[in-house]
Amino acid sequence: MTEYADGSVVDGVHYHQFDIVIVGAGGAGMRAAIEAGPKANTAVISKLYPTRSHTGAAQGGMAAALANVEEDNWEWHTFDTVKGGDYLVDQDAAEVLAKEAIDAIYDLENMGLPFNRTPDGKIDQRRFGGHTRDHGKAPVRRACYAADRTGHMILQTLYQNCVKFGINFFNEYYVLDLVMVSDGFGGQKPAGVVAFELATGDIHVFQAKAVIFATGGFGKIYKTTSNAHTLTGDGVGIVWRKGLPLEDMEFYQFHPTGLAGLGILLSEAARGEGAILRNSEGERFMERYAPTIKDLAPRDIVARCMALEIREGRGAGPHKDYVYLDITHLDPAVIDAKLPDITEFARTYLGVEPYTEPVPVLPTAHYAMGGIPTNIQAEVLSDNTTVVPGLYAAGECACVSVHGSNRLGTNSLLDINVFGKRAGNSAAEYVKTAEWVELPEDPAAGVRTLVENARNSNGTERIAIIRRELQESMDRNAQVFRTEESLTEVTEVIHNLRERYKNILVQDKGKRFNTDLLEAIELGFLLDLAEVVVYSARNRKESRGAHMREDFPTRDDVNHMQHTMAYLSGDPMSADAGDHIRLDWKPVVVTRYQPMERKY
């Protein structure tokens, strides 16, 4: 074991020392930093400039039972979260989410977030899919919002407050490894992380008592996605490669209203303000599927209904491969005031005038319900119950399971604020008494090998082509509808692409902002995570939430009312098909709501 001084450079590797290191500068990471920063020496590491993080793309709102517009309470919110997640939600976590939502909104308001207001000055609220009053009797206005730029406003507000608190940011540093050492009790705990500086190509080791992962999702395993190009699941992939489990990876949400052919998101806020989904015949088809809340049914239900309309020949357009989102009946003043970005996207990317024309839409890969398993204190778990001391996760990369098998709209911005705050507080409390952990000899060795092997790759396979074939196969075989046959096909595609990945070509051999090298490394994480998604989906022989198995079309509470836990048990680059992934189950926490039929 070797001790490295803070700020030293040894064999070209830079060493830093912080009590708490947060990986990711989106909403969850910065919310954690605001809690941790005033209490402990804290650093936030991000491969993007913080205000470019994907939280900024969230449009519609953040749920909280404020009851500013109509009667509401946190218990109804809890019920909607559990029912919307098709009863795979851990109900203790859902109660925390709904109870602490109100303080989370007021925290942001006090930080300066400019929410839309009612005429009497209260925070305004709008309807959103799956949110109801009195346990499902009618839609309720629960989403607090800032036009259709809520995520953008949250990101800017959090960053301004991080600056106020003097948080240390390391921007455009790409974390590629988590350094783990023995905890003295047969387990492991973190000693820090290793990052690659994009501007110079230098490697940096950040020694820490506690590490928080807040790295977002991995939507780029799909071709048609609302996710930014950078959402390649790096944090989830790093944890996976360290031998820690991933939970409920088969559940990937497809948002109903992506721009047809592009996947760019049109927020559910449009339907919250009264937009209507119509088929080629002009019919408001959701009235047939969800007669009570119609177009504001949970996202998994709406996405499947859209896909069925298209399958049954009622799709619109020259190829009958999309449906319409119609806001032509809304007052243009309301549209301009509450949905400015949505309408501009339709004009810019499709050349459609939403005042007078319906907008072509199709489901788009949007959100990972699964990820790094945590408890309600945001502590990472090494199995169903064992905490990894000093390691935390929050936001989309984590699975505390408040979303179960289908996340309700506006619960994601809530999740990052509630559990980001909890992660920051938990880490700050932990480091008060935790001792410094010595780094192993040459902690950067693994990253140095990874980077140099990729940089020196001189094969014949193009990174972009492998990525495209992966994404197209995932779109074709593991999207809204799945079967054993389709999942087997994409499994074989992934195994083939893994072999081809060994023979990639990285043309840029430079060190400064080498995006060719960056995409080669990201592709490795995408292959890992796509494989876990597919194996988990093959193993769940039922339909629940966002996981629709056409060969097992009903929900099976007897055998599958439990979380999937996936473990890496071998080298995926050398193992035969399947023998490097072990699957197990974890009980769902049920407190007050027993599974029932999802009627809307």
Side-chain angles (χ1 to χ4, degrees), residues 470-485:
L470 169 68
Q471 293 170 339
E472 288 177 348
S473 184
M474 290 294 289
D475 266 17
R476 190 169 57 249
N477 296 303
Q479 210 202 42
V480 175
F481 292 104
R482 302 162 176 186
T483 64
E484 183 69 27
E485 182 180 4

Side-chain angles (χ1 to χ4, degrees), residues 9 12-16 45-47 169-176 194-206 447 451 455 510-515 517-518 521:
V9 180
V13 176
H14 304 256
Y15 287 85
H16 312 267
I45 309 172
S46 175
K47 73 175 180 179
F169 281 92
F170 291 83
N171 301 326
E172 297 181 326
Y173 282 63
Y174 185 18
V175 171
L176 291 174
V194 186
F196 175 73
E197 186 179 359
L198 300 183
T200 64
D202 289 353
I203 293 175
H204 295 252
V205 173
F206 293 82
V447 168
V451 169
R455 194 199 315 276
K511 290 191 173 183
R512 296 176 59 82
F513 290 110
N514 187 339
T515 55
L517 171 64
L518 180 66
I521 294 170

Side-chain angles (χ1 to χ4, degrees), residues 248-474:
D248 286 344
M249 291 288 283
E250 65 269 40
F251 297 110
Y252 207 95
Q253 182 173 86
F254 298 88
H255 194 294
T257 52
L259 288 178
L262 297 171
I264 296 169
L265 193 67
L266 296 187
S267 171
E268 201 165 301
R271 284 174 284 139
E273 297 295 340
I276 294 170
L277 289 165
R278 299 189 187 277
N279 59 24
S280 60
E281 299 165 9
E283 177 197 10
R284 185 180 189 177
F285 58 86
M286 284 306 300
E287 288 182 323
R288 285 189 273 114
Y289 299 102
T292 301
I293 57 177
K294 304 179 179 67
D295 304 273
L296 288 174
R299 290 173 178 175
D300 61 321
I301 294 173
V302 179
R304 281 197 298 276
C305 294
M306 292 169 66
L308 285 171
E309 289 297 300
I310 293 165
R311 276 189 177 187
E312 293 173 6
R314 293 184 292 276
H319 303 292
K320 296 191 175 296
D321 57 355
Y322 54 75
V323 297
Y324 289 122
L325 183 70
D326 182 8
I327 63 172
T328 59
H329 56 288
L330 299 181
D331 182 350
V334 172
I335 295 172
D336 290 343
K338 295 185 175 182
L339 306 170
D341 278 0
I342 291 170
T343 51
E344 194 58 34
F345 290 161
R347 295 182 186 113
T348 301
Y349 296 109
L350 291 184
V352 171
E353 176 46 67
Y355 287 169
T356 57
E357 301 173 82
V359 182
V361 291
L362 195 66
T364 181
H366 182 57
Y367 189 91
M369 271 74 74
I372 304 164
T374 71
N375 60 21
I376 60 173
Q377 303 306 330
E379 297 169 308
V380 172
L381 304 175
S382 61
D383 55 31
N384 290 2
T385 57
T386 306
V387 168
V388 180
L391 186 60
Y392 306 87
E396 191 175 353
C397 74
C399 183
V400 61
S401 206
V402 286
H403 306 310
S405 60
N406 173 63
R407 176 179 67 77
L408 291 188
T410 68
N411 270 358
S412 59
L413 291 179
L414 178 57
D415 178 11
I416 62 176
N417 279 281
V418 168
F419 289 100
K421 179 178 181 178
R422 281 182 163 240
N425 280 326
S426 294
E429 191 63 29
Y430 173 81
V431 302
K432 285 181 182 178
T433 56
E435 299 291 330
W436 283 102
V437 178
E438 282 192 82
L439 292 166
E441 192 77 33
D442 195 6
V447 168
R448 187 186 301 110
T449 299
L450 174 67
V451 169
E452 290 309 312
N453 284 351
R455 194 199 315 276
N456 296 326
S457 297
N458 286 305
T460 58
E461 294 286 351
R462 299 282 183 169
I463 296 157
I465 291 174
I466 294 177
R467 184 177 62 233
R468 186 187 69 206
E469 290 184 18
L470 169 68
Q471 293 170 339
E472 288 177 348
S473 184
M474 290 294 289

